[in-house]
């Protein structure tokens, strides 16, 4: 089972279930993400999208089913988990930058401690990715001195410094002021164009239409619909999907 | 004239002499010169100490701030005022205490810096400073270390680790410090079969007792760190040690500096209890002087002032550290 075939998907979720006490957050969710695939997950709040994406790098543990990333099944095996986490990066809604470290130190911490790069190599990497997200001049500032959009771009650069195979985005623009959303989305679109495998939880349907290969629509802890964006946006298969699109695209 | 009156009259004239510097004629020029010299050197060294530490911290402060920010004026001025105000209060207190020395109830000659006997007594009293400082500093370093080691299992998911933390804190916290000192000094040698000297008995007792409090302070500090910080460290593939060392503890320690400073002050004061087992600290020295001179009020007043000065210096140090750390965050 743990043999990696070249054609096998990078992420496989099989019959995943997750409970918070008596509340079932995920019910029997199965999903495959291929290398280079860009998947956008949407759905009303409380539908389990964040829980799902957080199960992929095990920030949430699952109660039933399997999570297989790069051929490694994740569960109690800590070594496998560490290995997967250095390959799967995550961008959070609240950025979660380290406030006591400069931007540069935020970026070099992971590469130096988890990937054992030298300080010089890590710094070079950090400067390269800061340029990529277009804020190389902010390297010596502290996160609190940056705007929300800049902070989220630093967070994306921090993830990129791990040179991951997969990037997970958990509502990356939901905590941003409206005028800062596009600067973050632009960086994400560019990232998508480089062929990065991405799983994105977002309400930004314009972004989804532009970059997604696959749309996943969730409700009440289940995958209700999975299709191409063209199909999902023009002709949703389910009533719930249609209703959701109507509400979200109303304005 | 009885002895008291003579004393107070010479004291009076001396004050006039030092107060007006030139005009008044000292009754006894020799002893006066000595007195002046001593008082000068004392006040000089105190002044130096104070002004050095103050101006140092202020200077660094200013340097730092200028480095980090541009608009500096008001904050800086405020800081400059805060510390000297503390020292002013102290001076006023000192002055008022010595002024009342003219009355019948207080006989300052025992601790007068202007007479050879008083000087000897004062020197004897301050001789305990070394042990008070050495004892409390050693104890606090050890207790911070133990406190951290005890706090970490308290945050574990493992129930046994958590119960260890709980039992340690509850048991150690419940033992009165004085009892612990007696137990360590008189009891531990019987149990272990080896003698402990007074100093290390004091260090062990103080450090043990304080470590339970430090553990709770650290636990609170670590728990106050946002869950997102842990998730970010996890998603970067950092292990437990790296996460603690680079992400959690640096932030937690900034937050717990005020209560840590509190503990430091508390320890300095509690070290006075070690005098009961014969440790030659400030308190013990004062006690010995009282038995020799029968002037408890004057002696203990000086003792209080000794602790006050000591703790003001320590507090200033903690606050300086606090400011340094928060400025680095540039919040």
């Amino acid at each position: 089972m743990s043999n990696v075939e070249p054609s096998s998907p990078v992420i496989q979720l099989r019959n995943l279930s997750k409970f918070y006490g008596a509340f079932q957050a995920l019910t029997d969710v199965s999903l495959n993400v291929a290398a280079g695939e860009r998947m956008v997950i949407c759905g009303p709040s409380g539908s389990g999208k964040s829980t799902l994406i957080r199960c992929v790098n095990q920030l949430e543990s699952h109660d039933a089913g399997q999570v297989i990333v790069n051929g490694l099944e994740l569960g109690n095996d800590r070594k496998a988990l560490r290995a997967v986490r250095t390959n799967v990066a995550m961008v959070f809604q609240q950025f979660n930058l380290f406030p006591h470290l400069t931007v540069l130190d935020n970026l070099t911490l992971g590469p130096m401690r988890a990937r054992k790069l030298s300080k010089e190599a890590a710094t070079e990497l950090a400067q390269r990715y800061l340029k990529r997200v277009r804020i190389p001049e902010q390297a010596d500032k502290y996160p609190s001195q940056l705007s929300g959009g800049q902070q989220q771009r630093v967070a994306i650069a921090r993830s990129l410094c791990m040179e991951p195979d997969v990037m997970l985005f958990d509502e990356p623009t939901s905590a941003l002021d409206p005028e800062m959303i596009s600067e973050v989305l632009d960086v994400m679109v560019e990232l998508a164009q480089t062929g990065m495998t991405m799983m994105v939880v977002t309400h930004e349907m314009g972004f989804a239409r532009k970059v997604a290969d696959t749309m996943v629509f969730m409700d009440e802890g289940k995958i209700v619909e999975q299709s191409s964006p063209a199909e999902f946006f023009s002709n949703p298969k389910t009533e719930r999907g249609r209703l959701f699109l109507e509400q979200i695209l109303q304005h | 004239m009885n002895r008291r009156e003579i004393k107070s009259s010479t004291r009076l004239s001396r004050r006039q002499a030092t107060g007006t510097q030139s005009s008044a004629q000292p009754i006894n020029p020799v002893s006066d010169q000595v007195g002046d010299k001593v008082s000068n050197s004392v006040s000089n060294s105190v002044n130096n100490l104070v002004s050095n530490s103050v101006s140092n911290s202020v200077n660094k402060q200013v340097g730092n701030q200028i480095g980090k920010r541009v608009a500096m004026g008001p904050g800086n001025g405020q800081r400059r005022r805060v510390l000297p105000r503390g020292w002013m209060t102290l001076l006023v207190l000192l002055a008022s205490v010595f002024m009342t020395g003219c009355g019948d109830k207080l006989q300052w000659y025992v601790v007068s810096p202007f007479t050879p006997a008083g000087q000897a007594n004062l020197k004897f009293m301050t001789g305990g400073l070394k042990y008070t400082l050495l004892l409390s500093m050693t104890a606090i370093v050890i207790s911070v270390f133990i406190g951290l080691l005890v706090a970490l299992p308290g945050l574990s998911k493992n129930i046994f680790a958590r119960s260890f933390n709980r039992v340690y804190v509850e048991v150690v916290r419940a033992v009165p410090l004085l009892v612990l000192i007696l137990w360590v000094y008189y009891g531990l040698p019987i149990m272990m079969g080896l003698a402990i000297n007074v100093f290390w008995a004091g260090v062990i007792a103080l450090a043990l007792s304080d470590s339970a409090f430090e553990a709770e302070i650290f636990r609170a500090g670590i728990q106050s760190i946002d869950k997102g910080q842990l998730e970010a460290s996890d998603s970067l593939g950092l292990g437990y040690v790296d996460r603690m060392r680079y992400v959690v503890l640096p932030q937690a320690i900034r937050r717990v500096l005020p209560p840590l400073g509190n503990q430091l002050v508390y320890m300095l004061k509690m070290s006075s209890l070690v005098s009961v087992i014969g440790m030659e600290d400030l308190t013990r020295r004062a006690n010995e002087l009282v038995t020799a001179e029968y002037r408890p009020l004057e002696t203990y007043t000086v003792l209080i002032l000794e602790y006050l000065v000591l703790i003001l210096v320590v507090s200033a140090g903690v606050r300086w550290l606090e400011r340094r750390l928060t400025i680095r965050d540039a919040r």
Side-chain angles (χ1 to χ4, degrees):
Chain A
M1 185 195 67
S2 60
N3 287 338
V4 194
E5 300 151 36
S7 60
S8 73
V10 183
I11 300 171
Q12 299 175 59
L13 307 179
R14 292 183 188 160
N15 308 102
L16 210 58
S17 290
K18 165 84 187 169
F19 294 87
Y20 291 112
F23 174 73
Q24 186 159 12
L26 291 177
T27 310
D28 210 20
V29 174
S30 295
L31 193 72
N32 286 340
V33 182
E37 183 173 350
R38 296 172 295 263
M39 177 181 281
V40 170
I41 303 167
C42 63
S45 60
S47 60
K49 347 178 261 299
S50 281
T51 309
L52 178 74
I53 201 171
R54 287 158 63 87
C55 277
V56 173
N57 65 351
Q58 292 284 291
L59 289 182
E60 303 283 352
S61 58
H62 50 283
D63 295 310
Q66 290 177 308
V67 177
I68 302 163
V69 182
N70 279 338
L72 292 169
E73 179 169 357
L74 301 181
N76 293 323
D77 185 354
R78 285 202 182 177
K79 238 183 184 169
L81 186 59
R82 288 275 297 274
V84 164
R85 278 178 175 166
T86 52
N87 275 322
V88 178
M90 188 166 214
V91 176
F92 300 88
Q93 182 177 353
Q94 300 295 341
F95 329 137
N96 295 345
L97 294 174
F98 305 129
H100 61 298
L101 299 179
T102 62
V103 166
L104 191 66
D105 291 339
N106 263 280
L107 265 61
T108 53
L109 182 62
M112 281 167 67
R113 301 308 307 173
R115 294 179 61 205
K116 309 288 176 203
L117 293 188
S118 71
K119 191 176 168 126
E120 292 72 36
T123 307
E124 203 189 304
L125 204 64
Q127 276 158 352
R128 174 144 44 99
Y129 286 115
L130 273 181
K131 255 181 224 139
R132 171 91 76 88
V133 299
R134 291 191 285 271
I135 37 175
E137 73 283 1
Q138 312 285 8
D140 295 322
K141 289 199 182 161
Y142 286 89
S144 56
Q145 296 169 301
L146 304 180
S147 73
Q150 287 173 325
Q151 288 190 45
Q152 190 60 296
R153 283 187 283 155
V154 170
I156 292 174
R158 178 174 70 176
S159 297
L160 285 171
C161 281
M162 296 302 287
E163 308 208 290
D165 302 330
V166 182
M167 283 190 66
L168 310 174
F169 292 85
D170 188 2
E171 304 206 29
T173 55
S174 300
L176 293 176
D177 290 337
E179 74 270 20
M180 293 172 182
I181 290 177
S182 67
E183 66 187 69
V184 172
L185 288 180
D186 287 347
V187 167
M188 289 170 65
V189 170
E190 277 178 31
L191 196 61
Q193 285 158 357
T194 64
M196 175 68 76
T197 310
M198 293 163 78
M199 254 177 117
V200 185
V201 173
T202 186
H203 295 295
E204 297 297 329
M205 290 303 133
F207 170 79
R209 228 191 276 256
K210 207 186 253 173
V211 305
D213 299 311
T214 317
M215 287 298 298
V216 170
F217 172 64
M218 291 183 71
D219 196 15
E220 293 176 347
K222 294 177 191 139
I223 293 181
V224 178
E225 220 172 296
Q226 182 169 2
S227 54
S228 71
E231 202 181 325
F232 179 70
F233 285 114
S234 58
N235 191 18
K237 277 179 281 194
T238 59
E239 179 62 23
R240 266 187 292 182
R242 197 182 55 72
L243 212 67
F244 174 76
L245 278 180
E246 247 172 41
Q247 280 165 344
I248 208 166
L249 299 175
Q250 218 167 34
H251 305 288
Chain B
M1 261 187 179
N2 64 19
R3 184 164 158 263
R4 268 185 195 175
E5 281 167 27
I6 294 171
K7 285 264 177 198
S8 59
S9 74
T10 51
R11 281 183 49 74
L12 259 175
S13 64
R14 198 168 293 134
R15 184 170 296 117
Q16 282 168 355
T18 49
T20 52
Q21 289 298 334
S22 56
S23 61
Q25 291 298 316
I27 292 172
N28 180 351
V30 178
S31 80
D32 225 40
Q33 270 179 352
V34 173
D36 276 351
K37 215 184 255 173
V38 170
S39 73
N40 274 347
S41 77
V42 167
S43 70
N44 268 352
S45 69
V46 169
N47 278 345
N48 280 348
L49 208 111
V50 173
S51 66
N52 273 350
S53 75
V54 170
S55 68
N56 268 352
S57 72
V58 169
N59 281 346
K60 277 189 192 153
Q61 203 58 41
V62 175
N64 274 346
Q65 291 216 338
I66 289 175
K68 294 284 177 201
R69 292 188 215 166
V70 188
M72 288 310 319
N76 203 3
Q78 218 171 11
R79 286 215 178 90
R80 229 182 243 285
R81 259 184 280 120
V82 170
L83 286 174
R85 194 181 293 151
W87 296 110
M88 281 294 283
T89 321
L90 183 63
L91 284 178
V92 169
L93 239 163
L94 261 168
S96 61
V97 165
F98 275 94
M99 297 248 258
T100 52
C102 316
D104 279 353
K105 282 183 188 147
L106 285 160
Q107 294 298 310
W108 287 110
Y109 67 89
V110 256
V111 288
S112 165
F114 309 114
T115 65
Q119 285 160 27
N121 284 346
L122 277 179
K123 209 176 160 197
F124 177 74
M125 283 186 77
T126 47
L129 183 67
K130 181 185 146 203
Y131 278 115
T132 289
L133 271 178
L134 206 60
L135 179 87
S136 26
M137 291 303 162
T138 317
I140 196 134
V141 168
I142 297 175
S143 79
V144 162
F145 189 68
I146 300 177
L148 191 56
L149 286 185
V150 173
L152 292 176
L155 299 155
S156 159
K157 281 181 195 149
N158 185 323
I159 180 124
F160 293 107
R162 273 208 318 276
S163 354
F164 162 74
N165 165 279
R166 195 65 200 274
V167 169
Y168 184 94
V169 168
E170 295 300 346
V171 169
V172 173
R173 199 164 55 175
V175 184
L177 180 55
L178 182 56
V179 177
L180 194 61
I181 290 171
L182 295 173
W183 189 83
V184 168
Y185 187 60
Y186 295 110
L188 212 54
I190 299 172
M191 209 170 80
M192 315 250 296
L194 52 95
I196 307 175
N197 71 21
V198 176
F199 178 79
W200 285 105
V203 167
I204 291 172
L206 266 180
L208 262 184
S209 159
D210 190 57
S211 65
F213 296 94
E214 302 285 351
E216 288 296 85
I217 290 173
F218 276 118
R219 191 166 66 90
I222 293 171
Q223 270 175 342
S224 77
I225 302 300
D226 181 42
K227 204 169 143 246
Q229 296 287 306
L230 308 183
E231 292 178 351
S233 328
D234 283 348
S235 73
L236 287 175
L238 297 185
Y240 175 80
V241 174
D242 283 342
R243 184 174 89 183
M244 275 294 160
R245 182 169 156 203
Y246 294 103
V247 178
V248 177
L249 286 180
Q251 296 185 60
I253 284 172
R254 281 172 174 76
R255 292 191 195 179
V256 300
L257 266 180
L260 278 186
N262 238 354
Q263 282 309 108
L264 183 58
V265 167
Y266 185 74
M267 292 275 269
L268 268 171
K269 296 197 295 181
M270 289 302 124
S271 70
S272 62
L273 283 176
V274 183
S275 62
V276 299
I277 55 173
M279 171 89 181
E280 288 281 321
D281 73 331
L282 289 174
T283 308
R284 175 82 180 190
R285 287 285 173 100
N287 276 334
E288 285 172 4
L289 191 64
V290 169
T291 20
E293 299 269 7
Y294 303 108
R295 303 287 345 163
L297 183 51
E298 295 80 356
T299 313
Y300 288 136
T301 306
V302 171
L303 180 61
I304 287 174
L305 289 175
E306 283 178 318
Y307 279 111
L308 181 62
V309 171
L310 197 59
I311 280 161
L312 282 179
V313 171
V314 168
S315 308
V318 172
R319 285 191 186 272
W320 170 78
L321 193 66
E322 233 175 274
R323 279 199 305 271
R324 246 190 85 105
L325 288 176
T326 41
I327 282 164
R328 257 190 41 184
D329 277 5
R331 280 181 190 274

